[in-house]
Amino acid sequence: MPKLDICLFSNCLVNSPKLFDLLSNSNEINQVLILGDRNSHENLPKNFIINEDISSFYNSADLNRIINKCKSEFVLFVLSESKIDLSENSLKRLLRIAESSNSVFLYSDYIEKKGEQFSVHKLIDYQVGSIRDDFDFGKIILFKKNELKNNIVVNNYRYAAFYDLRLRIAEQYSLTRIPEALYTHEETDLRKSGEKQFDYVDPKNRDVQLEMEKAATEHLQRINALISPGKEISVFSDEFPVTASVIIPVKNRVKTISNAIDSALSQKTRFQFNIIVVDNHSTDGTREILENYSTQNDKVILVVPDSKSLNIGGCWNLAVEHKACGKFAVQLDSDDMYSSNDTLAQIVDIFEKEKCAMVIGSYTMTDFNLEVLPPGLIDHKEWTPENGMNNALRINGLGAPRSFYTPIIRSIGFPNTSYGEDYAVALAISREYKVGRIYNSIYNCRRWEGNTDSDLSIEKVNENNFYKDKIRTFEILARQKMNKK
């Protein structure tokens, strides 16, 4: 008896004639559940069942109907509406591994077609910290049907039902990645990686994000990793040379570093501040610019590491441990600029009013010439005082600029990386301390061809995502340990 039901969108079947032939003739398949339009199909095999009342894998009502219609031991979800090519051997491979390893949730690498180019799209292994809702499982997932039925919950989600389902399965089982390219997918989203990373903060996706937050929060509660808002700083120390230090790690930014420093020097404050620039051995003329600034302005302090093994996090550690560092350490990336002359004043005001250990601002996406780029303002309003410290585990970023009460950041320290270092310390701080927010734009994040993340390879995207998931894993384990006390 066939062991497999397949669920896929009507458009995928229309776009994939080879897949249609496979599904029509395979001995492995019991039934094919087609989601969507009946008018696109004629003379279908008897085991092809059109479900015009089902349009999505992501809302609770549709997902429940899909699962209840499945009759076989295994169920294959095809999540894309674009062209998919899948072979009989790949189906057999999926089923063999599922049966021999007793896996209940399997996904695999695949071949990606972009235009006329083909490349292997590798995925990454799932771990405890892989709770972000945009984790990439590819376009095809194989489930054991009983675990689908056992973990589907009637919760009236419009968008987060599938996310909730996989979190519940992951609480009980390993989600198994097969590091083999078992199918081909034709990609229709041809944007660069740097253009996709802010999709989730688009205001039109706000309702989606609220549902995802609810599912993630309930997951953290079930695994004993949910925490309450952190404590305030009772008394800020005054044993610092200045109130605030702007921290700028830099390497080879001759085109942008002057703009960054000038935006910091333009700050109007009632308190003393300085600018600590850590030049990580620039070779393009940046050092000479910095030496000129530090010679002409006492506010600018140039630090050159002895070591050549430091990344951005290591440069931050050097800056905050410096004897000139102020009470509050405030981020300014060497590509970017403060958007007004009261940015520092607003940040320090929040520290003092809310007695928090960290303040996170909001920023505007611009091009090199400060023309606004979509989506414009990035305010991360998904952060709330009541649940921001939990929802932070679900999302990839928290906002900018990030500012720290120096004794706290000295005690925690940055990991010596150039990606995710700020996210790691933000999670650690939010575990114990109150975090303040500024929701109006105080910072310009400039996107240009010199950005290190403007167009990343899939290998680099995977490396970054795996590392951030590992950060989340460490943080979840720390929160579980804290909750056991």
Side-chain angles (χ1 to χ4, degrees):
M1 177 180 175
K3 302 173 182 177
L4 182 64
D5 289 346
I6 292 188
C7 307
L8 78 169
F9 292 106
S10 173
N11 284 343
C12 179
L13 203 59
V14 171
N15 293 326
S16 311
K18 290 184 180 178
L19 180 64
F20 179 86
D21 291 341
L22 170 68
L23 302 185
S24 301
N25 298 297
S26 173
N27 294 324
E28 303 294 337
I29 297 170
N30 181 24
Q31 61 176 353
V32 178
L33 302 178
I34 303 169
L35 315 186
D37 184 15
R38 175 181 297 274
N39 296 326
S40 301
H41 305 283
E42 296 179 357
N43 302 318
L44 292 174
K46 290 182 179 179
N47 65 334
F48 282 50
I49 303 169
I50 296 177
N51 301 270
E52 289 187 292
D53 60 331
I54 302 176
S55 60
S56 169
F57 291 103
Y58 304 106
N59 73 69
S60 297
D62 281 356
L63 190 56
N64 270 281
R65 282 196 287 265
I66 291 169
I67 293 172
N68 287 331
K69 288 175 180 287
C70 292
K71 301 175 182 179
S72 302
E73 181 181 358
F74 294 99
V75 180
L76 189 77
F77 282 6
V78 181
L79 302 177
S80 174
E81 297 191 41
S82 300
K83 183 179 180 181
I84 295 274
D85 284 338
L86 178 69
S87 70
E88 179 84 6
N89 285 336
S90 291
L91 281 182
K92 290 179 178 179
R93 179 68 171 154
L94 282 164
L95 290 169
R96 276 198 300 268
I97 293 175
E99 291 180 306
S100 62
S101 65
N102 201 29
S103 297
V104 304
F105 184 117
L106 295 94
Y107 61 104
S108 81
D109 301 348
Y110 62 96
I111 302 295
E112 182 174 74
K113 180 178 183 289
K114 284 188 174 182
E116 297 304 314
Q117 300 296 317
F118 291 82
S119 60
V120 177
H121 189 114
K122 290 186 178 296
L123 302 177
I124 61 175
D125 293 328
Y126 197 90
Q127 55 185 301
V128 170
S130 300
I131 77 163
R132 52 195 167 87
D133 54 77
D134 66 348
F135 186 91
D136 186 5
F137 292 106
K139 313 303 176 183
I140 289 177
I141 304 175
L142 181 70
F143 299 90
K144 187 170 278 188
K145 185 193 69 175
N146 284 344
E147 300 314 320
L148 284 178
K149 285 201 167 188
N150 293 340
N151 288 282
I152 188 68
V153 176
V154 181
N155 44 25
N156 296 317
Y157 283 131
R158 288 187 294 164
Y159 311 105
F162 184 81
Y163 176 53
D164 179 70
L165 174 67
R166 64 101 158 166
L167 289 176
R168 291 175 184 274
I169 294 175
E171 290 163 20
Q172 306 164 66
Y173 303 98
S174 295
L175 308 191
T176 303
R177 169 182 166 242
I178 303 173
E180 304 166 16
L182 295 183
Y183 59 94
T184 299
H185 174 256
E186 187 168 315
E187 182 57 68
T188 56
D189 186 350
L190 302 181
R191 293 177 298 164
K192 296 179 179 180
S193 61
E195 296 171 333
K196 301 177 186 178
Q197 61 182 318
F198 300 102
D199 287 353
Y200 75 101
V201 293
D202 192 316
K204 71 176 182 290
N205 295 328
R206 179 66 177 147
D207 289 344
V208 177
Q209 294 305 311
L210 289 172
E211 282 201 1
M212 298 297 183
E213 178 179 2
K214 181 177 184 294
T217 302
E218 291 176 354
H219 166 69
L220 293 172
Q221 187 169 33
R222 290 193 299 270
I223 65 172
N224 197 33
L226 193 72
I227 59 174
S228 300
K231 61 188 176 185
E232 296 180 350
I233 302 295
S234 55
V235 178
F236 288 115
S237 170
D238 287 323
E239 297 181 1
F240 291 93
V242 293
T243 298
S245 289
V246 176
I247 309 297
I248 310 177
V250 61
K251 183 173 184 178
N252 293 338
R253 283 293 182 265
V254 69
K255 290 183 66 173
T256 60
I257 189 61
S258 294
N259 297 146
I261 293 174
D262 288 343
S263 78
L265 287 172
S266 73
Q267 296 301 297
K268 306 297 183 186
T269 68
R270 55 179 170 74
F271 50 80
Q272 295 296 309
F273 71 91
N274 61 26
I275 302 164
I276 301 178
V277 187
V278 183
D279 178 35
N280 200 9
H281 304 283
S282 295
T283 58
D284 68 341
T286 297
R287 173 74 60 82
E288 290 73 18
I289 293 173
L290 297 176
E291 288 172 345
N292 186 51
Y293 271 103
S294 64
T295 299
Q296 295 187 9
N297 196 310
D298 291 341
K299 284 187 184 304
V300 180
I301 299 164
L302 174 59
V303 178
V304 180
D306 293 330
S307 172
K308 291 189 176 182
S309 64
L310 296 187
N311 293 306
I312 291 175
C315 291
W316 259 94
N317 288 332
L318 201 62
V320 298
E321 294 290 349
H322 196 280
K323 63 182 180 180
C325 189
K327 185 191 309 184
F328 306 116
V330 184
Q331 173 209 8
L332 178 55
D333 286 355
S334 58
D335 295 300
D336 300 335
M337 300 168 61
Y338 294 147
S339 60
S340 67
N341 61 13
D342 67 347
T343 291
L344 275 187
Q346 290 189 58
I347 290 169
V348 170
D349 188 51
I350 294 295
F351 271 118
E352 293 177 343
K353 284 183 177 179
E354 299 190 14
K355 300 187 182 303
C356 43
M358 179 177 182
V359 173
I360 305 175
S362 299
Y363 59 94
T364 300
M365 297 289 298
T366 76
D367 64 14
F368 187 85
N369 297 314
L370 302 182
E371 295 294 327
V372 176
L373 298 175
L377 175 65
I378 309 292
D379 56 19
H380 285 281
K381 282 189 176 178
E382 70 276 359
W383 180 286
T384 63
E386 300 78 20
N387 199 48
M389 69 298 303
N390 294 305
N391 195 35
L393 287 164
R394 180 186 65 85
I395 59 179
N396 259 335
L398 299 177
R402 295 165 290 276
S403 307
F404 311 93
Y405 178 41
T406 298
I408 300 299
I409 197 59
R410 283 175 173 171
S411 68
I412 292 174
F414 286 83
N416 185 30
T417 64
S418 290
Y419 178 82
E421 74 290 339
D422 47 354
Y423 183 67
V425 297
L427 290 179
I429 290 171
S430 70
R431 188 194 324 149
E432 297 188 47
Y433 295 98
K434 182 178 180 180
V435 175
R437 297 301 307 238
I438 297 173
Y439 292 114
N440 58 287
S441 181
I442 59 174
Y443 190 89
N444 288 325
C445 179
R446 295 202 289 179
R447 311 302 296 174
W448 63 295
E449 68 277 4
N451 291 137
T452 55
D453 60 350
S454 62
D455 187 19
L456 302 180
S457 67
I458 186 59
E459 291 79 13
K460 190 61 179 178
V461 170
N462 283 341
E463 178 186 332
N464 288 348
N465 283 333
F466 186 83
Y467 178 63
K468 268 197 175 176
D469 285 353
K470 185 61 71 175
I471 289 171
R472 295 183 185 96
T473 296
F474 294 149
E475 186 61 32
I476 286 172
L477 294 175
R479 294 179 183 200
Q480 289 172 327
K481 179 180 178 181
M482 183 175 73
N483 286 340
K484 288 180 180 178
K485 293 179 180 179

